[in-house]
Amino acid sequence: MCGIAGILRLSKRPLPERRILSAMLSAISHRGPDEQGSYFDEWMHVGAVRLSILDLEKGGQPAKTPSGRTIAVQNGEIYNFATLARDLQKKGHELSSTGDTIVLPHMHEEYGAEFVSQLRGMYAIAVWDSAERRLLLCRDRLGIKPLFFAKTTDYLLFASEIKALLATGLIVPAIDRRSLDDLFSLSYPCPPRSMFKGVDELLPAHTLMVYAGRGRADIRIERYWRIPFARCGEHSRIGFDDAASELKERLRKTIADHMVADVKVGTYLSSGVDSSSVTALAREIAGEPLDCFTISFPSSTHDEATRAAQFAASLGCRHHLVECGPETAELFLDSVYHTELPLQYPVSLPLQRLSKVVQEQGFKVVLTGEGVDEQYAGYDCFRLERIRKVLEFAGLSWLKPYIYRRLFSWLGSPQGMAEFFIKVQRYPDSKIRQEFSNVRPPWYDIWHALDIHRSDLLGVNGRSVRPIEVAPEGFNELFDGTLKDLHPLDAALAIEMQTRLPSWTVLVDDRVSMANGVETRVPFLDHELVEWVAKLPPSYKLRGLNEKAILRASMKGVLPQDTRKRIKQPFYSPIKEWFFSPQSPEFASSL
């Protein structure tokens, strides 16, 4: 795990002084507090800050081939590196390290840019071919690791975080007004936009290739993978029980691969089925007690600490309880700095506090259960959509108010949420689908919840504000017409996996953990497992109103029955207590 940064020369103008790269690396030093390395030539300056996890002595970056022709840096982990290393050695390659980064420059020399299709892991990679004067940037398939870039007249800049790009002084920091519209609807900029004008993210499962000295027009960006959702009628024909058994074995193998490290590995644990599954299987694989870490909101009705502690005790694990009281609000400004996003839901605050405790306990790696809800229809929005469709099909739309009130009460949702959803449902569904690739986006109703005073806030000086009912610029281009042949649930999941997952869920997970030099690994987002799950029948994921049905079934005999069958509890931070009470920090009332 590391942070990477670099500057490529696009014109005849020489590269800036070497201290500029040093400034970039200093800006992201929290991502790699153990070591720093750089490479310089007349066309490329590139470097990395390192969090040492594999081959602690010889695994430094940049990694080079013996000839020095090919140089690579990466942020992330390549889980099949050992297999790749053996294959390279059989072909005559001499590897100078037993870590994972060293395989990258050798893979590039052996297979060219197509080598990325052989990688299994989470990664943001830069490979410099000094002979061809060619830069290749690669981002992992699910967007677990971040990678941003910006173009000036003379240079291409890239880095793991935007703050490194701004540290060059070559970019004038300015808010992208389109991203503000997105922020007060989607909750995040529509990819590939960032909050900063002129700074884009390299989309998940994409590569960027450019030759030095040929100008900005030579930059080529291509997709190398897409989640293989099955078309309607072409889903896997495996039986439900057999699928549950296979899922358990696939998940067990994936977790074992994700536990490979030369440092100790812990887990994040709530009382839900996602993190409990990871913790239970990791404990089984390790063959010894693990350390697991749980967030506690002592004064909140949504606290999961007691159940998590009981489960950890049943596994014989060492349980660390991280209490997050009103003082957690003090992390708000620091959290905005690290996420580079003014999050409307401050879920990042307790997670940042959690990673700090993990770091203080001497851990660099933890496994998490992130990525389940986006694949197995775990969020309430998927159940609401099913209810809405059933009522409309049966001609019972008039029952919506009653059913919504009962459902939201059962889910323990905040007061007034049912009435809001009843109101939002009045907008014609056909108009929504016409605007959003013939799909009703999963979080469309929540986007309306963020629309309060949106025009008043953003429409200063007569500026027009994109209506919620209009798709953000670039939204439909993300799917290239691939949604039309999918089952409605699969289409909704595809939207979730290509927007909210990389731009919100794993973004927060990455930034607030790396703020404290902690690597979070996400076994459920291993691309081989994702490919298998994507082909399962939609009814295996959402069975009636039973979300994550196949995962719950797969954990029979692994998790207690009450854990397997417990409905998903949203991760609510006690915002009212933290920011709107006598205990609130001073800045909350002065902003």
Side-chain angles (χ1 to χ4, degrees), residues 248 313 564:
K248 178 167 63 176
R564 284 198 308 117

Side-chain angles (χ1 to χ4, degrees), residues 86-162:
R86 286 193 294 270
D87 291 343
L88 287 167
Q89 288 168 335
K90 289 178 182 178
K91 294 178 181 295
H93 291 261
E94 297 180 7
L95 307 183
S96 59
S97 164
T98 57
D100 59 337
T101 305
I102 191 61
V103 305
L104 301 177
H106 289 269
M107 289 287 292
H108 186 272
E109 288 198 355
E110 185 68 33
Y111 302 105
E114 290 73 26
F115 84 93
V116 67
S117 64
Q118 299 186 47
L119 303 181
R120 178 170 160 245
M122 54 180 190
Y123 48 82
I125 297 168
V127 180
W128 171 241
D129 184 330
S130 59
E132 293 289 334
R133 294 196 332 216
R134 182 179 62 213
L135 171 67
L136 178 70
L137 302 180
C138 316
R139 191 172 178 206
D140 68 68
R141 294 168 176 84
L142 280 307
I144 304 168
K145 293 293 107 185
L147 186 56
F148 295 91
F149 67 94
K151 295 168 284 187
T152 72
T153 303
D154 301 297
Y155 310 118
L156 176 74
L157 317 174
F158 63 90
S160 296
E161 297 182 14
I162 299 171

Side-chain angles (χ1 to χ4, degrees), residues 384-385 387-393 396-408 418 421-422 424-427 429 440:
L384 285 170
E385 178 66 3
I387 291 172
R388 191 182 64 80
K389 285 187 174 181
V390 169
L391 292 176
E392 289 186 355
F393 179 78
L396 299 174
S397 296
W398 56 274
L399 275 176
K400 280 183 185 179
Y402 172 77
I403 291 177
Y404 277 23
R405 290 180 185 115
R406 293 293 301 269
L407 177 64
F408 278 96
F421 270 78
I422 292 168
V424 169
Q425 292 287 332
R426 296 171 186 162
Y427 192 80
D429 186 63
R440 184 186 180 94

